[in-house]
Amino acid sequence: MAGHSNFETNNPLIKWVETRLPIFGLMQSQAMDFPTPKNLNYWWTFGGILTFCLAVQIVVGIVLAMHYTPHVDMAFGSVEHIMRNVNYGWMLRYIHATGGSMFFIAVYIHMFRGMYYGSYKEPRELLWILGVVILLVMMATAFLGYVLPWGQMSFWGAKVITSLFSAVPLVGEDLVVWLWGGFSVDNPTLNRFYSLHYLLPFVLVGVVFLHIWALHVTGNNNPTGISVKSEQDTISFHPYYTMKDAFAMALFVLVFAFFVFYKPNYLGHPINYQEADPLVTPEHIVPEWYFLPFYAILRSIPHKLLGVIAMFASIFVLVILPWLDTSRVRSARYRPIFKQFFWLLVIDCVILGFVGANPPEGTWLLVGQIGTAYYFLHFLVIIPLLGLIETPKPRPTSISQAVLDANKGKGGGADAVPSAQAAE
Amino acid sequence: MTAASEGRKFTMTTLKQLTAAAGFVLAALCISPVLAAGDTHEAKDVDFSFEGPFGNFDRGELQRGFQVFIEVCGQCHSMNYLNYRNLAEEGGPEFPEDQVKAIAAEFMVMDGPDAEGEMFERPAKPSDFFVAPFPNVEAARASNGGAYPPDLSLLAKARAGYHGTWNQFINGAGGAEFIYSVLTGYEEEAPDDGEDHGALAYNPYFPGSWIAMPQPLFEDMVEYADGTTASVEQMSRDVSAFLMWAAEPKLEARKRIGFQVIIYLIVLSGLLYFVKRKIWANVDH
């Protein structure tokens, strides 16, 4: 898929570099000429948006690190110093804090898009798995970062999540002491969390590079799920998708800016503006919104170890998704039953999010347990079965054919003309 | 119609109903407050000048609020993250520099060591942090019946008067409203729940309804320099606004820059849209 380089130049210096390190040719073939299906919709713009999010978080984070002090007695105060005394420090910190949330909104949309259009299926299994690895590293980074301001929720969140490791049989207790660097969440914990919070984003850059590399081997999936058949199905990445991505990114930044400037604390917890106090436990200890569905799964199981296993399994199940799905048809566009189950899963995840924000008692516990059961039912039973019992709709022969049909449909107002089944 | 397609149709209808049912559950969840506030009253709605996308602080209100803070609240509560110089800065109470110097000079701070190696006391300067009423937490507890009066620098952001995902999105967390409600919420008769609450005061706006702080504000407790009548409501409102500024001193700059950023992004998005459309005009997609 990745076209060979046809880079040409008359500039002797560039030529000199190119013959020794063909970096200009690589840029030309991978970032400019890269053949991309011509029918990608706006759900495909989130890949670029995510790269942007990572870059913003790293750049802003490095500046924040210049003013932050990772010490239990000074961390909270240094964040207030950033908010009050550093030039535009309030803006940097609000961008970084909101940026975490925006990053997760984008990554969840990106993942659901992958599920809807079957982007995880052969030959893109490894591309998908690298994506799951990115999600895991992102979650670790976000969790570590939330501890750094050393507010009440930082401290107690860290305590709850690290204590989960005590559920590990035999070595659990020792493991937690090792993680903490002491017998409680304290200064050594804060120091190592800071160190790792600075390290992991660069690990992310590495895995993102592999993710994009894998993408450039298989090429993009597309809304029809039908593989690229000929050159007519594709257009060059630049200027078509650079400009489409740029437009989508501007809209995304608009939403981002709205939260940074007008709702900067909406996505956080008020109690985190109170300095950490190991002697006072907050009434409700809840993680950031993007962890709530997983937190709901954890707490819906009244057994510590099994709860932890279920929580990790809820992510691991995504790793094996390419092999759980027995359907040969990629896109939900041609899978009428799968399409509905897809939306049920989305709703299930949102419900689990609300459950995660509430104490695991009474109705909330019950809803959480049903939601958790359904989550696993979706991946372990429904997805494998659907491929066997569902009759897919007729698919167009190619991307170009699909585009023609769709445009015809627009004019006639009727359904697209069904065409011959396509082998994918 | 074959039996197979009949069956499929049935499945799809069922699924549609299921989806609709799940949608209802979801809607119900959105409406119910996410964090049930128990018996605690939702904060009173106060119409503050700093609300909304263009709302700024009212200088007079902040200056009166500062007076209430320094004469009443500051007797027990610290304000650790503020410097006296902040009082003169743009977007705050904007007291004249001389006045800030005079305010600071009323407090003594420990400085040193001097050339002889001795610590010494001197009047505070605008560059100093607000002087706390007690030297440490233990002293504060000892003077307040065992309860620690929390630092007020961030209280307006650390407390929520409003609850619920949607409610907070529209009305904000209501930190200033929470403070106002607690300060004006002492009037109601305590319900007889058969328990001994000791020295705690009944206040249904405070989580748990029992608060260690006795009613702090009474009519005409301060004499406002601008002649405003110092009712409990007026003082509560002024000091709540002042605490909001103390917690978010860059609020005005944030909204001003935010507006510029949003306008810029709308124009940029519009231009990019037309660029994109022109580029894609000759592609069948």
Short mmCIF file of all heavy atoms in Angstrom, two decimals, chain A residues 38 76 84-85 90 94 235 240-241 243 247 250 254 261-263 266 270 273-274 340 350 357-358 364 391 407, chain B residues 8 15 29 34-35 81-82 85 157-159 165 169 246 248 250 254-255 258-259 265 269 279-280 283-285:
data_model
loop_
_atom_site.label_atom_id
_atom_site.label_comp_id
_atom_site.label_asym_id
_atom_site.label_seq_id
_atom_site.Cartn_x
_atom_site.Cartn_y
_atom_site.Cartn_z
N LYS A 38 -11.02 7.47 -0.76
CA LYS A 38 -11.58 8.81 -0.95
C LYS A 38 -12.89 9.03 -0.21
O LYS A 38 -13.42 10.13 -0.21
CB LYS A 38 -11.78 9.07 -2.45
CG LYS A 38 -12.73 8.11 -3.15
CD LYS A 38 -12.76 8.46 -4.63
CE LYS A 38 -13.75 7.58 -5.38
NZ LYS A 38 -13.79 7.96 -6.80
N PHE A 76 0.94 21.10 46.05
CA PHE A 76 -0.32 21.83 45.96
C PHE A 76 -0.06 23.33 45.81
O PHE A 76 -0.65 23.99 44.94
CB PHE A 76 -1.17 21.54 47.20
CG PHE A 76 -2.57 22.05 47.11
CD1 PHE A 76 -3.56 21.31 46.47
CD2 PHE A 76 -2.93 23.28 47.66
CE1 PHE A 76 -4.87 21.77 46.38
CE2 PHE A 76 -4.23 23.75 47.58
CZ PHE A 76 -5.20 23.00 46.94
N ARG A 84 -1.50 31.46 39.83
CA ARG A 84 -1.58 32.84 40.27
C ARG A 84 -0.42 33.72 39.81
O ARG A 84 -0.62 34.91 39.52
CB ARG A 84 -1.66 32.90 41.80
CG ARG A 84 -2.97 32.37 42.34
CD ARG A 84 -2.87 32.01 43.81
NE ARG A 84 -4.01 31.22 44.24
CZ ARG A 84 -5.16 31.72 44.69
NH1 ARG A 84 -5.31 33.01 44.81
NH2 ARG A 84 -6.13 30.93 45.02
N ASN A 85 0.78 33.15 39.77
CA ASN A 85 1.96 34.00 39.54
C ASN A 85 2.68 33.78 38.22
O ASN A 85 3.29 34.69 37.70
CB ASN A 85 2.97 33.81 40.68
CG ASN A 85 2.36 34.17 42.02
OD1 ASN A 85 1.58 35.11 42.11
ND2 ASN A 85 2.70 33.42 43.05
N TRP A 90 -2.24 29.96 34.50
CA TRP A 90 -3.62 29.44 34.63
C TRP A 90 -4.07 28.82 33.32
O TRP A 90 -4.71 27.79 33.30
CB TRP A 90 -4.58 30.57 35.05
CG TRP A 90 -4.58 31.75 34.11
CD1 TRP A 90 -3.79 32.85 34.18
CD2 TRP A 90 -5.39 31.91 32.93
NE1 TRP A 90 -4.05 33.70 33.14
CE2 TRP A 90 -5.03 33.15 32.35
CE3 TRP A 90 -6.37 31.14 32.32
CZ2 TRP A 90 -5.62 33.62 31.18
CZ3 TRP A 90 -6.96 31.63 31.15
CH2 TRP A 90 -6.58 32.85 30.60
N TYR A 94 -4.97 24.91 32.85
CA TYR A 94 -6.31 24.55 32.40
C TYR A 94 -6.26 23.79 31.07
O TYR A 94 -7.06 22.88 30.83
CB TYR A 94 -7.20 25.80 32.28
CG TYR A 94 -7.77 26.29 33.60
CD1 TYR A 94 -8.12 27.62 33.78
CD2 TYR A 94 -7.99 25.40 34.66
CE1 TYR A 94 -8.67 28.07 34.98
CE2 TYR A 94 -8.53 25.85 35.86
CZ TYR A 94 -8.87 27.18 36.02
OH TYR A 94 -9.42 27.61 37.20
N ILE A 235 -7.28 8.76 -3.04
CA ILE A 235 -6.72 10.06 -3.38
C ILE A 235 -5.49 10.27 -2.50
O ILE A 235 -5.31 9.53 -1.52
CB ILE A 235 -7.72 11.22 -3.14
CG1 ILE A 235 -8.46 10.96 -1.83
CG2 ILE A 235 -8.66 11.40 -4.29
CD1 ILE A 235 -9.38 12.06 -1.45
N TYR A 240 -5.91 16.56 0.28
CA TYR A 240 -7.31 16.24 0.60
C TYR A 240 -7.54 16.01 2.09
O TYR A 240 -8.40 16.63 2.71
CB TYR A 240 -7.76 15.02 -0.22
CG TYR A 240 -7.74 15.33 -1.69
CD1 TYR A 240 -6.70 14.88 -2.50
CD2 TYR A 240 -8.72 16.13 -2.25
CE1 TYR A 240 -6.65 15.20 -3.85
CE2 TYR A 240 -8.69 16.46 -3.59
CZ TYR A 240 -7.65 16.00 -4.39
OH TYR A 240 -7.60 16.34 -5.70
N TYR A 241 -6.76 15.08 2.66
CA TYR A 241 -7.03 14.79 4.06
C TYR A 241 -6.32 15.72 5.03
O TYR A 241 -6.77 15.91 6.15
CB TYR A 241 -6.76 13.30 4.37
CG TYR A 241 -7.89 12.47 3.82
CD1 TYR A 241 -7.71 11.64 2.72
CD2 TYR A 241 -9.16 12.58 4.38
CE1 TYR A 241 -8.77 10.93 2.19
CE2 TYR A 241 -10.23 11.86 3.86
CZ TYR A 241 -10.03 11.04 2.77
OH TYR A 241 -11.10 10.36 2.25
N MET A 243 -6.32 18.84 4.68
CA MET A 243 -7.24 19.97 4.83
C MET A 243 -8.53 19.56 5.55
O MET A 243 -9.07 20.31 6.33
CB MET A 243 -7.56 20.57 3.45
CG MET A 243 -6.46 21.48 2.96
SD MET A 243 -6.17 22.77 4.19
CE MET A 243 -4.46 22.71 4.40
N PHE A 247 -9.67 21.15 9.16
CA PHE A 247 -10.98 21.72 9.45
C PHE A 247 -11.59 21.06 10.69
O PHE A 247 -12.05 21.74 11.61
CB PHE A 247 -11.90 21.55 8.23
CG PHE A 247 -13.34 21.86 8.52
CD1 PHE A 247 -13.69 23.09 9.06
CD2 PHE A 247 -14.33 20.93 8.28
CE1 PHE A 247 -15.02 23.40 9.34
CE2 PHE A 247 -15.66 21.22 8.57
CZ PHE A 247 -16.01 22.45 9.10
N ALA A 250 -9.86 22.18 13.82
CA ALA A 250 -10.24 23.53 14.26
C ALA A 250 -11.55 23.47 15.06
O ALA A 250 -11.68 24.12 16.09
CB ALA A 250 -10.39 24.45 13.05
N LEU A 254 -12.10 24.25 19.02
CA LEU A 254 -13.16 25.17 19.44
C LEU A 254 -13.85 24.63 20.70
O LEU A 254 -14.06 25.36 21.68
CB LEU A 254 -14.17 25.32 18.30
CG LEU A 254 -15.13 26.51 18.30
CD1 LEU A 254 -14.39 27.83 18.35
CD2 LEU A 254 -15.99 26.45 17.04
N PHE A 261 -11.63 27.89 28.66
CA PHE A 261 -11.86 29.28 29.04
C PHE A 261 -13.18 29.51 29.76
O PHE A 261 -13.32 30.48 30.48
CB PHE A 261 -11.77 30.18 27.80
CG PHE A 261 -10.39 30.24 27.22
CD1 PHE A 261 -10.06 29.54 26.08
CD2 PHE A 261 -9.40 30.99 27.86
CE1 PHE A 261 -8.78 29.58 25.56
CE2 PHE A 261 -8.12 31.03 27.35
CZ PHE A 261 -7.80 30.33 26.20
N TYR A 262 -14.14 28.62 29.56
CA TYR A 262 -15.45 28.89 30.16
C TYR A 262 -15.93 27.84 31.15
O TYR A 262 -16.80 28.10 31.96
CB TYR A 262 -16.50 29.11 29.06
CG TYR A 262 -16.20 30.37 28.28
CD1 TYR A 262 -15.66 30.31 27.01
CD2 TYR A 262 -16.41 31.61 28.87
CE1 TYR A 262 -15.35 31.48 26.32
CE2 TYR A 262 -16.10 32.78 28.19
CZ TYR A 262 -15.58 32.71 26.92
OH TYR A 262 -15.26 33.85 26.25
N LYS A 263 -15.37 26.63 31.08
CA LYS A 263 -15.77 25.58 32.03
C LYS A 263 -14.52 24.83 32.51
O LYS A 263 -14.48 23.60 32.45
CB LYS A 263 -16.72 24.58 31.33
CG LYS A 263 -18.08 25.15 30.99
CD LYS A 263 -19.04 25.01 32.15
CE LYS A 263 -20.24 25.92 31.94
NZ LYS A 263 -20.94 26.18 33.18
N TYR A 266 -15.14 22.18 35.21
CA TYR A 266 -16.32 21.32 35.11
C TYR A 266 -15.94 19.85 35.07
O TYR A 266 -16.61 19.00 35.67
CB TYR A 266 -17.11 21.69 33.85
CG TYR A 266 -18.28 20.78 33.60
CD1 TYR A 266 -19.37 20.78 34.47
CD2 TYR A 266 -18.32 19.92 32.50
CE1 TYR A 266 -20.45 19.95 34.25
CE2 TYR A 266 -19.39 19.10 32.27
CZ TYR A 266 -20.46 19.11 33.16
OH TYR A 266 -21.52 18.28 32.93
N PRO A 270 -14.39 19.46 42.56
CA PRO A 270 -14.13 20.60 43.45
C PRO A 270 -13.18 20.23 44.60
O PRO A 270 -12.28 20.99 44.93
CB PRO A 270 -15.52 20.96 43.97
CG PRO A 270 -16.46 20.51 42.90
CD PRO A 270 -15.84 19.28 42.31
N TYR A 273 -9.44 20.91 44.95
CA TYR A 273 -8.87 22.22 45.29
C TYR A 273 -8.61 22.31 46.79
O TYR A 273 -8.36 23.39 47.31
CB TYR A 273 -9.79 23.35 44.83
CG TYR A 273 -9.56 23.71 43.38
CD1 TYR A 273 -10.48 23.44 42.40
CD2 TYR A 273 -8.36 24.32 43.01
CE1 TYR A 273 -10.25 23.75 41.08
CE2 TYR A 273 -8.11 24.64 41.69
CZ TYR A 273 -9.06 24.36 40.73
OH TYR A 273 -8.81 24.68 39.42
N GLN A 274 -8.75 21.18 47.48
CA GLN A 274 -8.41 21.13 48.89
C GLN A 274 -7.16 20.27 49.00
O GLN A 274 -7.12 19.16 48.44
CB GLN A 274 -9.57 20.52 49.67
CG GLN A 274 -9.46 20.70 51.16
CD GLN A 274 -10.78 20.29 51.82
OE1 GLN A 274 -11.86 20.62 51.36
NE2 GLN A 274 -10.68 19.52 52.88
N GLN A 340 -27.15 -2.31 15.55
CA GLN A 340 -27.96 -1.99 16.73
C GLN A 340 -27.25 -2.41 18.01
O GLN A 340 -27.31 -1.70 19.02
CB GLN A 340 -29.30 -2.70 16.61
CG GLN A 340 -29.92 -2.40 15.26
CD GLN A 340 -31.41 -2.39 15.29
OE1 GLN A 340 -32.02 -2.19 16.33
NE2 GLN A 340 -32.01 -2.60 14.12
N VAL A 350 -22.02 4.35 28.51
CA VAL A 350 -22.42 5.63 29.12
C VAL A 350 -23.12 5.36 30.46
O VAL A 350 -22.85 6.03 31.47
CB VAL A 350 -23.33 6.43 28.16
CG1 VAL A 350 -23.83 7.70 28.83
CG2 VAL A 350 -22.58 6.78 26.90
N ALA A 357 -19.97 6.98 38.87
CA ALA A 357 -19.93 8.23 39.63
C ALA A 357 -20.73 8.14 40.93
O ALA A 357 -20.69 9.04 41.74
CB ALA A 357 -20.48 9.37 38.78
N ASN A 358 -21.46 7.03 41.09
CA ASN A 358 -22.31 6.89 42.27
C ASN A 358 -21.84 5.77 43.19
O ASN A 358 -21.20 4.83 42.74
CB ASN A 358 -23.75 6.63 41.82
CG ASN A 358 -24.40 7.90 41.31
OD1 ASN A 358 -24.86 8.72 42.08
ND2 ASN A 358 -24.37 8.08 40.00
N TRP A 364 -28.00 1.48 42.02
CA TRP A 364 -26.77 1.73 41.27
C TRP A 364 -25.94 0.46 41.14
O TRP A 364 -25.38 0.17 40.08
CB TRP A 364 -25.93 2.81 41.94
CG TRP A 364 -26.51 4.18 41.77
CD1 TRP A 364 -26.99 5.00 42.75
CD2 TRP A 364 -26.71 4.88 40.54
NE1 TRP A 364 -27.46 6.16 42.20
CE2 TRP A 364 -27.31 6.13 40.86
CE3 TRP A 364 -26.43 4.59 39.21
CZ2 TRP A 364 -27.63 7.07 39.89
CZ3 TRP A 364 -26.77 5.53 38.24
CH2 TRP A 364 -27.35 6.75 38.58
N THR A 391 -27.38 -12.08 8.39
CA THR A 391 -27.25 -12.01 6.93
C THR A 391 -26.91 -10.58 6.57
O THR A 391 -27.73 -9.68 6.76
CB THR A 391 -28.57 -12.40 6.24
OG1 THR A 391 -29.07 -13.57 6.87
CG2 THR A 391 -28.35 -12.63 4.77
N ASN A 407 -24.19 8.83 -4.33
CA ASN A 407 -24.52 10.08 -5.01
C ASN A 407 -25.81 9.94 -5.81
O ASN A 407 -26.60 10.86 -5.90
CB ASN A 407 -23.37 10.52 -5.91
CG ASN A 407 -22.18 10.97 -5.08
OD1 ASN A 407 -22.30 11.15 -3.86
ND2 ASN A 407 -21.03 11.11 -5.72
N ARG B 8 -35.76 -12.32 11.12
CA ARG B 8 -34.79 -11.24 11.23
C ARG B 8 -35.49 -9.93 11.55
O ARG B 8 -35.04 -9.14 12.36
CB ARG B 8 -33.99 -11.13 9.94
CG ARG B 8 -32.71 -10.36 10.12
CD ARG B 8 -31.70 -10.65 9.04
NE ARG B 8 -32.10 -10.14 7.76
CZ ARG B 8 -32.20 -10.88 6.65
NH1 ARG B 8 -31.96 -12.16 6.68
NH2 ARG B 8 -32.56 -10.34 5.52
N LEU B 15 -34.81 -5.38 18.94
CA LEU B 15 -33.59 -4.61 19.23
C LEU B 15 -33.90 -3.13 19.31
O LEU B 15 -33.39 -2.43 20.17
CB LEU B 15 -32.56 -4.86 18.14
CG LEU B 15 -31.66 -6.06 18.42
CD1 LEU B 15 -30.78 -6.32 17.21
CD2 LEU B 15 -30.81 -5.77 19.65
N LEU B 29 -31.15 8.58 34.08
CA LEU B 29 -29.90 8.74 34.82
C LEU B 29 -29.40 10.18 34.73
O LEU B 29 -28.87 10.73 35.68
CB LEU B 29 -28.84 7.79 34.27
CG LEU B 29 -29.04 6.31 34.59
CD1 LEU B 29 -27.97 5.48 33.89
CD2 LEU B 29 -28.99 6.06 36.08
N VAL B 34 -26.30 13.23 39.92
CA VAL B 34 -25.28 12.19 39.92
C VAL B 34 -24.81 11.89 41.33
O VAL B 34 -24.68 10.75 41.74
CB VAL B 34 -24.10 12.59 39.02
CG1 VAL B 34 -22.91 11.69 39.28
CG2 VAL B 34 -24.52 12.47 37.57
N LEU B 35 -24.55 12.92 42.07
CA LEU B 35 -24.14 12.71 43.46
C LEU B 35 -25.29 13.18 44.35
O LEU B 35 -25.53 14.37 44.48
CB LEU B 35 -22.87 13.49 43.78
CG LEU B 35 -21.61 12.96 43.12
CD1 LEU B 35 -20.45 13.91 43.32
CD2 LEU B 35 -21.24 11.59 43.64
N TYR B 81 -2.81 31.51 50.12
CA TYR B 81 -2.23 31.61 48.77
C TYR B 81 -2.32 33.01 48.19
O TYR B 81 -1.95 33.23 47.05
CB TYR B 81 -2.89 30.58 47.84
CG TYR B 81 -2.57 29.17 48.29
CD1 TYR B 81 -3.53 28.35 48.85
CD2 TYR B 81 -1.26 28.70 48.18
CE1 TYR B 81 -3.21 27.07 49.28
CE2 TYR B 81 -0.94 27.43 48.63
CZ TYR B 81 -1.91 26.61 49.17
OH TYR B 81 -1.58 25.36 49.61
N LEU B 82 -2.81 33.98 48.99
CA LEU B 82 -2.89 35.35 48.49
C LEU B 82 -1.77 36.20 49.06
O LEU B 82 -1.40 36.04 50.22
CB LEU B 82 -4.25 35.97 48.88
CG LEU B 82 -5.26 36.14 47.74
CD1 LEU B 82 -5.58 34.80 47.13
CD2 LEU B 82 -6.50 36.84 48.23
N ARG B 85 -0.28 42.19 47.65
CA ARG B 85 -0.20 42.88 46.35
C ARG B 85 -1.34 42.48 45.42
O ARG B 85 -1.75 43.25 44.53
CB ARG B 85 1.14 42.60 45.67
CG ARG B 85 1.36 41.15 45.31
CD ARG B 85 2.67 40.93 44.56
NE ARG B 85 3.07 39.53 44.59
CZ ARG B 85 2.56 38.58 43.80
NH1 ARG B 85 1.62 38.88 42.94
NH2 ARG B 85 2.99 37.33 43.91
N LYS B 157 -13.80 27.35 45.04
CA LYS B 157 -13.67 26.33 43.98
C LYS B 157 -13.68 24.92 44.56
O LYS B 157 -13.86 23.95 43.84
CB LYS B 157 -12.37 26.54 43.19
CG LYS B 157 -12.45 27.71 42.23
CD LYS B 157 -11.45 27.60 41.09
CE LYS B 157 -10.02 27.71 41.55
NZ LYS B 157 -9.08 27.95 40.43
N ALA B 158 -13.45 24.81 45.88
CA ALA B 158 -13.34 23.50 46.50
C ALA B 158 -14.67 22.97 47.01
O ALA B 158 -14.75 21.85 47.50
CB ALA B 158 -12.32 23.53 47.65
N ARG B 159 -15.71 23.80 46.94
CA ARG B 159 -17.03 23.38 47.42
C ARG B 159 -18.04 23.50 46.28
O ARG B 159 -17.94 24.42 45.46
CB ARG B 159 -17.49 24.25 48.59
CG ARG B 159 -16.64 24.17 49.83
CD ARG B 159 -16.83 22.86 50.57
NE ARG B 159 -16.01 22.82 51.78
CZ ARG B 159 -14.75 22.43 51.83
NH1 ARG B 159 -14.15 22.02 50.73
NH2 ARG B 159 -14.08 22.44 52.97
N THR B 165 -24.71 16.32 36.87
CA THR B 165 -23.90 16.53 35.68
C THR B 165 -24.41 17.71 34.84
O THR B 165 -23.66 18.58 34.45
CB THR B 165 -23.90 15.26 34.83
OG1 THR B 165 -23.52 14.17 35.67
CG2 THR B 165 -22.94 15.35 33.68
N PHE B 169 -23.20 21.78 34.57
CA PHE B 169 -22.77 22.28 33.26
C PHE B 169 -23.42 23.63 32.97
O PHE B 169 -22.79 24.54 32.45
CB PHE B 169 -23.12 21.27 32.16
CG PHE B 169 -22.64 21.69 30.80
CD1 PHE B 169 -21.30 21.62 30.48
CD2 PHE B 169 -23.52 22.17 29.84
CE1 PHE B 169 -20.83 22.02 29.24
CE2 PHE B 169 -23.07 22.57 28.60
CZ PHE B 169 -21.73 22.49 28.29
N ALA B 246 -10.71 35.38 45.14
CA ALA B 246 -9.52 34.84 45.79
C ALA B 246 -9.17 33.47 45.21
O ALA B 246 -8.00 33.13 45.07
CB ALA B 246 -9.76 34.72 47.30
N GLU B 248 -10.11 32.34 42.15
CA GLU B 248 -9.92 32.39 40.69
C GLU B 248 -9.57 33.83 40.28
O GLU B 248 -10.35 34.51 39.63
CB GLU B 248 -11.23 31.92 40.01
CG GLU B 248 -11.18 31.77 38.51
CD GLU B 248 -10.48 30.53 38.01
OE1 GLU B 248 -9.93 29.77 38.84
OE2 GLU B 248 -10.45 30.33 36.80
N LYS B 250 -7.73 35.07 38.10
CA LYS B 250 -7.55 35.39 36.67
C LYS B 250 -8.84 35.20 35.89
O LYS B 250 -8.80 35.05 34.67
CB LYS B 250 -6.45 34.50 36.08
CG LYS B 250 -5.16 34.48 36.86
CD LYS B 250 -4.42 35.81 36.79
CE LYS B 250 -3.23 35.74 37.72
NZ LYS B 250 -2.30 36.81 37.57
N ARG B 254 -9.23 35.36 31.85
CA ARG B 254 -9.60 34.08 31.23
C ARG B 254 -10.78 34.27 30.27
O ARG B 254 -10.74 33.83 29.13
CB ARG B 254 -9.97 33.08 32.32
CG ARG B 254 -10.13 31.66 31.82
CD ARG B 254 -10.62 30.77 32.93
NE ARG B 254 -12.06 30.84 33.02
CZ ARG B 254 -12.76 30.75 34.14
NH1 ARG B 254 -12.14 30.58 35.28
NH2 ARG B 254 -14.06 30.82 34.12
N LYS B 255 -11.81 34.96 30.72
CA LYS B 255 -12.98 35.15 29.86
C LYS B 255 -12.68 36.07 28.68
O LYS B 255 -13.17 35.86 27.59
CB LYS B 255 -14.15 35.69 30.68
CG LYS B 255 -14.74 34.66 31.63
CD LYS B 255 -15.87 35.23 32.42
CE LYS B 255 -16.41 34.21 33.41
NZ LYS B 255 -17.47 34.78 34.25
N GLY B 258 -10.51 34.14 26.35
CA GLY B 258 -11.35 33.07 25.82
C GLY B 258 -12.23 33.55 24.68
O GLY B 258 -12.35 32.88 23.65
N PHE B 259 -12.80 34.72 24.84
CA PHE B 259 -13.67 35.26 23.80
C PHE B 259 -12.88 35.49 22.51
O PHE B 259 -13.33 35.15 21.42
CB PHE B 259 -14.31 36.57 24.29
CG PHE B 259 -15.27 37.16 23.30
CD1 PHE B 259 -16.46 36.51 23.01
CD2 PHE B 259 -14.98 38.36 22.66
CE1 PHE B 259 -17.35 37.05 22.10
CE2 PHE B 259 -15.87 38.89 21.74
CZ PHE B 259 -17.06 38.24 21.46
N LEU B 265 -11.11 31.11 16.41
CA LEU B 265 -11.31 29.72 15.97
C LEU B 265 -12.52 29.58 15.06
O LEU B 265 -12.52 28.76 14.14
CB LEU B 265 -11.43 28.79 17.18
CG LEU B 265 -10.12 28.50 17.90
CD1 LEU B 265 -10.39 27.76 19.20
CD2 LEU B 265 -9.18 27.69 17.01
N SER B 269 -12.12 28.15 11.46
CA SER B 269 -12.91 26.98 11.05
C SER B 269 -13.66 27.27 9.76
O SER B 269 -13.70 26.44 8.85
CB SER B 269 -13.91 26.59 12.13
OG SER B 269 -13.26 26.34 13.34
N ILE B 279 -11.04 22.27 -2.35
CA ILE B 279 -10.11 21.20 -2.70
C ILE B 279 -10.86 19.93 -3.11
O ILE B 279 -10.47 19.23 -4.04
CB ILE B 279 -9.14 20.94 -1.54
CG1 ILE B 279 -8.16 22.09 -1.43
CG2 ILE B 279 -8.40 19.63 -1.72
CD1 ILE B 279 -7.25 22.00 -0.24
N TRP B 280 -11.95 19.66 -2.40
CA TRP B 280 -12.67 18.41 -2.65
C TRP B 280 -13.71 18.54 -3.77
O TRP B 280 -14.35 17.54 -4.14
CB TRP B 280 -13.38 17.96 -1.37
CG TRP B 280 -12.45 17.28 -0.40
CD1 TRP B 280 -11.58 17.88 0.45
CD2 TRP B 280 -12.32 15.87 -0.18
NE1 TRP B 280 -10.90 16.94 1.18
CE2 TRP B 280 -11.34 15.70 0.81
CE3 TRP B 280 -12.92 14.74 -0.73
CZ2 TRP B 280 -10.94 14.44 1.26
CZ3 TRP B 280 -12.54 13.49 -0.28
CH2 TRP B 280 -11.55 13.34 0.69
N VAL B 283 -13.66 16.00 -6.56
CA VAL B 283 -13.50 14.59 -6.21
C VAL B 283 -14.88 14.01 -5.90
O VAL B 283 -15.62 14.57 -5.10
CB VAL B 283 -12.59 14.41 -4.96
CG1 VAL B 283 -12.43 12.95 -4.62
CG2 VAL B 283 -11.26 15.08 -5.20
N ASP B 284 -15.19 12.91 -6.54
CA ASP B 284 -16.42 12.19 -6.21
C ASP B 284 -16.19 11.42 -4.91
O ASP B 284 -15.35 10.53 -4.87
CB ASP B 284 -16.70 11.18 -7.35
CG ASP B 284 -18.11 11.32 -7.85
OD1 ASP B 284 -18.84 12.17 -7.31
OD2 ASP B 284 -18.46 10.58 -8.79
N HIS B 285 -16.88 11.83 -3.85
CA HIS B 285 -16.60 11.12 -2.60
C HIS B 285 -17.85 10.94 -1.77
O HIS B 285 -18.92 11.42 -2.12
CB HIS B 285 -15.54 11.87 -1.79
CG HIS B 285 -15.97 13.22 -1.29
ND1 HIS B 285 -16.00 14.32 -2.12
CD2 HIS B 285 -16.43 13.63 -0.09
CE1 HIS B 285 -16.45 15.36 -1.43
NE2 HIS B 285 -16.74 14.97 -0.21
#
